[in-house]
Amino acid sequence: MCHLDNLMTDNCKCPDMQGLKCNGEETQGIGNYYYKPQNQSDSADTDTVGQYIGVKGRWVYRYSNADYAKKKAQSNCTEWCIGKPVIYLYPTEPTLINVEVFAPGRVFVSDPLYPAGGWQNVLAQSNGDLTYQGKQFRELYYETELSTDLKVPENGILIAQGNLLTDLTTYTKALGLNDFESNEFTDYWVPLLRDLNSPYVLFSTLEATEKERIDHVEISPNPDTFIGFIAYFKPVYVKYSPTPLELPKIPPERVGYTAVEWGGTIDNGAIR
């Protein structure tokens, strides 16, 4: 889910972070979006400061790189993405399953292709193998453009950069992921978190109600057990003690037909 709507079009990887959303600053009644120039002609000087450009219905200020950096430092401005929600299905016997995603935005990247009305008649095996429209998959993957702000968590766990792999493996297993799912999670997120180049990373999860608000998944037939979370990461440059994130002492038990989902977001409003 790309928080900055149509400003980000690179599959939510957000290299160099292309845009800022600044709370409390209004332009055309819909909020201010600040755009980081992506070519030398745009960034060579500062004469673009304050210039309006239209981006698919959004109005944004185009800034030079230097002025963009100043704007980014404001406490009311943030830049982040939510990436790679993944759904695994484990019925107790071969089952045709329908999966539909409801979010304040639209699905724009998916594998397999997400059609109107969701994935219909996905044949799921007990080992997690999926068959959809004659092709084999291990999971259902999608990203959406998110057209709303997030309520970010106030708690978390501080992780040193050197401990990202081991600690995230431990924490995701506590949240209910098995070895395969946890490995996919760390394979995707650890390189992105290392690229932040911050000595620490704050790890948390969105509250269940917030996860449902921005990423509600309906699965039919309904699973006996559903395990799902959206991870939250934030670069940290000064060691501190956040309000602790309470992880389950015992991982959720997988009883009967089980569905699992994970996703994540990096909030680049760093703690310094």
Side-chain angles (χ1 to χ4, degrees):
M1 301 169 205
C2 289
H3 171 68
L4 292 179
D5 245 354
N6 300 317
L7 294 184
M8 295 183 180
T9 58
D10 53 350
N11 294 340
C12 261
K13 299 292 193 263
C14 300
D16 298 325
M17 292 306 188
Q18 297 173 327
L20 291 175
K21 170 67 170 65
C22 297
N23 293 330
E25 299 183 8
E26 296 297 324
T27 298
Q28 303 292 314
I30 60 172
N32 235 348
Y33 290 81
Y34 294 90
Y35 172 71
K36 181 178 181 179
Q38 296 297 298
N39 59 65
Q40 186 61 34
S41 63
D42 275 351
S43 60
D45 54 48
T46 60
D47 63 5
T48 57
V49 174
Q51 177 182 350
Y52 286 129
I53 59 173
V55 181
K56 295 184 179 179
R58 298 285 184 180
W59 284 94
V60 299
Y61 281 122
R62 186 170 60 182
Y63 267 51
S64 69
N65 284 337
D67 289 304
Y68 182 91
K70 293 177 184 178
K71 183 57 101 172
K72 177 181 173 182
Q74 292 183 188
S75 61
N76 64 317
C77 297
T78 57
E79 54 179 5
W80 43 270
C81 281
I82 298 179
K84 201 182 180 181
V86 172
I87 300 170
Y88 309 91
L89 302 170
Y90 305 98
T92 57
E93 59 184 14
T95 305
L96 288 174
I97 299 175
N98 302 329
V99 179
E100 189 169 3
V101 177
F102 295 88
R106 67 180 180 90
V107 174
F108 76 103
V109 175
S110 58
D111 189 24
L113 179 66
Y114 184 86
W119 292 292
Q120 303 290 313
N121 296 318
V122 179
L123 178 60
Q125 307 292 334
S126 59
N127 64 355
D129 289 342
L130 308 176
T131 303
Y132 178 70
Q133 296 184 344
K135 296 182 179 180
Q136 305 301 308
F137 300 89
R138 189 61 184 81
E139 68 246 354
L140 303 174
Y141 154 69
Y142 65 96
E143 294 179 3
T144 69
E145 292 177 338
L146 186 61
S147 58
T148 183
D149 286 331
L150 279 182
K151 178 183 177 182
V152 301
E154 298 179 355
N155 56 7
I157 302 171
L158 206 61
I159 305 175
Q161 272 281 356
N163 298 334
L164 281 170
L165 179 59
T166 54
D167 286 2
L168 286 178
T169 298
T170 298
Y171 301 152
T172 55
K173 288 185 176 180
L175 288 166
L177 300 191
N178 62 25
D179 288 343
F180 175 81
E181 297 155 2
S182 180
N183 286 339
E184 285 211 325
F185 182 96
T186 55
D187 284 349
Y188 180 80
W189 285 108
V190 169
L192 297 178
L193 298 173
R194 286 175 175 162
D195 286 345
L196 296 174
N197 293 317
S198 60
Y200 305 97
V201 173
L202 180 69
F203 166 74
S204 189
T205 59
L206 299 186
E207 293 182 1
T209 53
E210 182 67 356
K211 191 270 181 196
E212 281 296 289
R213 184 181 73 85
I214 58 98
D215 179 58
H216 174 67
V217 178
E218 288 196 1
I219 301 173
S220 178
N222 195 45
D224 301 309
T225 301
F226 180 79
I227 297 170
F229 65 90
I230 300 293
Y232 173 84
F233 301 104
K234 190 181 187 77
V236 177
Y237 291 86
V238 178
K239 190 173 183 179
Y240 77 109
S241 299
T243 302
L245 170 67
E246 294 188 10
L247 295 170
K249 292 183 171 58
I250 300 175
E253 185 179 1
R254 300 189 178 201
V255 178
Y257 159 34
T258 299
V260 178
E261 181 195 17
W262 61 257
T265 176
I266 297 177
D267 180 345
N268 278 265
I271 297 176
R272 299 178 183 271

